[in-house]
């Protein structure tokens, strides 16, 4: 597990504790169904933050709201100092280039090859020659551990683990400062999930990324997360290092972080 906030290792991750994402007073609803009510959250620059919570607590909704796919009823979201809810559209478009998103199912374009998928954000946001975009796309694909032959394959020709890596390569296409991951190890076998965790950890350290990761995978929390934020009761109930969670006096938190799977993850760590 990565170091606690007070440890030397954690100090290297967030030396100035700069909030790269700030969420204040977020209220998200779908008709009469309220998902978030006065939710507040800070994401520190350079950390891997794990977002956990029971089914229906709005983990993926929070991610999609931050990146602009869902508009909240009210609240403030700042990313890299930019108001992405109420600020000018031009400012929002500029900051969108600074993040990448990999959804749970990959969300790759089925009619495009892996390389074409990775090049898609470059075509939209950059003015580069085809040759340069192709070279950069091949570099991103290599960076996530996919073989060169995968460049010409379509998503349907890839395994689930390879599709997740291809989606990650696309998320990295614009050299983002922030990467959002939605259940990145869901559906992977234990070996594949551990390898993906290792990859995220390596990329975070080598590229200086901030990682916002929605997950239910306890092994991932213990392996690569600097902090955990628990969603419950329509807000962030508690946040802190994963090994602190067992001390939180809340039924769901206790069951999740002290149950048999949590004990196994702790032992493995």
């Amino acid at each position: 597990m990565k170091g606690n906030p007070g440890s030397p290792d954690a100090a290297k991750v967030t030396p100035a504790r700069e909030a790269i994402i700030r969420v204040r007073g977020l209220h998200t609803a779908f008709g009469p169904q309220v998902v978030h009510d006065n939710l507040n959250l800070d994401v520190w620059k350079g950390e891997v933050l794990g977002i956990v919570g029971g089914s229906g607590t709005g983990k993926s909704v929070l991610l999609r709201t931050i990146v602009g796919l869902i508009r909240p009823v009210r609240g403030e979201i700042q990313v890299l100092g930019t108001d992405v809810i109420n600020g000018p559209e031009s400012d929002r478009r500029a900051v969108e280039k600074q993040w990448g998103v990999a959804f749970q199912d990959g969300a790759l374009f089925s009619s495009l090859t892996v390389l074409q998928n990775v090049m898609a954000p470059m075509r939209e946001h950059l003015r580069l020659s085809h040759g340069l975009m192709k070279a950069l796309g091949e570099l991103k694909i290599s960076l996530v551990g996919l073989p060169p032959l995968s460049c010409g394959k379509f998503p349907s020709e890839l395994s689930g683990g390879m599709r997740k890596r291809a989606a990650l390569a696309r998320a990295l296409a614009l050299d983002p400062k922030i990467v959002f991951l939605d259940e990145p190890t869901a559906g992977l076998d234990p070996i594949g999930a551990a390898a993906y965790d290792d990859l995220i950890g390596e990329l975070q350290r080598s590229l200086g990324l901030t990682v916002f990761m929605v997950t239910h995978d306890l092994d991932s929390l213990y392996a690569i997360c600097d902090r955990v934020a628990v969603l419950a009761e329509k807000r962030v109930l508690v946040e802190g290092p994963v090994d602190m969670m067992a001390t939180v006096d809340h039924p769901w938190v206790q069951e999740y972080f002290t149950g048999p799977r949590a004990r196994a993850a702790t032992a493995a760590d």
Side-chain angles (χ1 to χ4, degrees):
M1 185 180 70
K2 300 180 84 169
N4 293 338
S7 71
D9 287 343
K12 294 176 184 176
V13 175
T14 55
R17 290 181 66 83
E18 175 187 347
I20 199 167
I21 300 172
R22 293 181 74 253
V23 181
R24 292 291 182 272
L26 186 68
H27 187 95
T28 311
F30 301 102
Q33 179 188 2
V34 177
V35 181
H36 305 132
D37 187 17
N38 198 33
L39 184 150
N40 300 310
L41 179 66
D42 285 325
V43 182
W44 305 116
K45 181 179 180 181
E47 76 171 343
V48 180
L49 177 67
I51 306 295
V52 302
S55 178
T57 54
K59 303 180 295 297
S60 295
V61 171
L62 177 58
L63 184 157
R64 291 169 179 266
T65 303
I66 293 173
V67 301
L69 297 178
I70 295 173
R71 181 153 185 102
V73 176
R74 59 180 176 270
E76 177 185 351
I77 300 175
Q78 289 190 0
V79 180
L80 293 166
T82 296
D83 183 343
V84 297
I85 299 297
N86 302 307
E89 179 66 19
S90 58
D91 290 353
R92 176 182 173 78
R93 291 285 294 174
V95 81
E96 281 180 350
K97 300 177 186 178
Q98 302 299 313
W99 70 55
V101 187
F103 295 104
Q104 180 176 342
D105 59 359
L108 297 170
F109 298 113
S110 60
S111 61
L112 302 181
T113 65
V114 170
L115 180 57
Q116 289 168 339
N117 266 280
V118 176
M119 290 169 60
M122 302 180 196
R123 293 184 183 278
E124 180 179 359
H125 293 286
L126 305 178
R127 294 182 179 179
L128 300 175
S129 68
H130 176 80
L132 183 53
M133 286 192 292
K134 180 174 180 293
L136 288 172
E138 290 170 344
L139 175 62
K140 305 300 181 181
I141 291 167
S142 172
L143 199 61
V144 300
L146 288 175
L149 284 176
S150 65
C151 292
K153 293 184 178 295
F154 291 93
S156 61
E157 299 175 306
L158 304 176
S159 68
M162 292 178 74
R163 283 196 298 273
K164 287 180 180 290
R165 288 177 181 253
L168 180 58
R170 187 176 65 182
L172 296 173
L174 301 179
D175 295 327
K177 296 179 179 178
I178 307 168
V179 172
F180 294 90
L181 304 175
D182 191 3
E183 298 285 5
T185 59
L188 297 180
D189 62 73
I191 295 175
Y196 195 94
D197 285 341
D198 289 343
L199 173 63
I200 294 300
E202 291 170 5
L203 291 173
Q204 186 272 331
R205 290 187 295 271
S206 61
L207 301 178
L209 298 171
T210 300
V211 180
F212 182 105
M213 181 172 69
V214 172
T215 185
H216 69 281
D217 192 331
L218 279 159
D219 289 331
S220 296
L221 295 177
Y222 280 95
I224 61 172
C225 287
D226 297 291
R227 287 193 306 136
V228 174
V230 179
L231 298 194
E233 302 171 11
K234 303 176 183 178
R235 60 188 174 90
V236 175
L237 180 74
V238 63
E239 56 185 91
V242 65
D243 56 3
M244 184 197 84
M245 294 298 133
T247 68
V248 176
D249 185 18
H250 185 276
W252 187 88
V253 179
Q254 279 290 310
E255 183 178 359
Y256 189 79
F257 286 98
T258 65
R261 291 190 177 186
R263 291 194 293 272
T266 305
D269 182 62

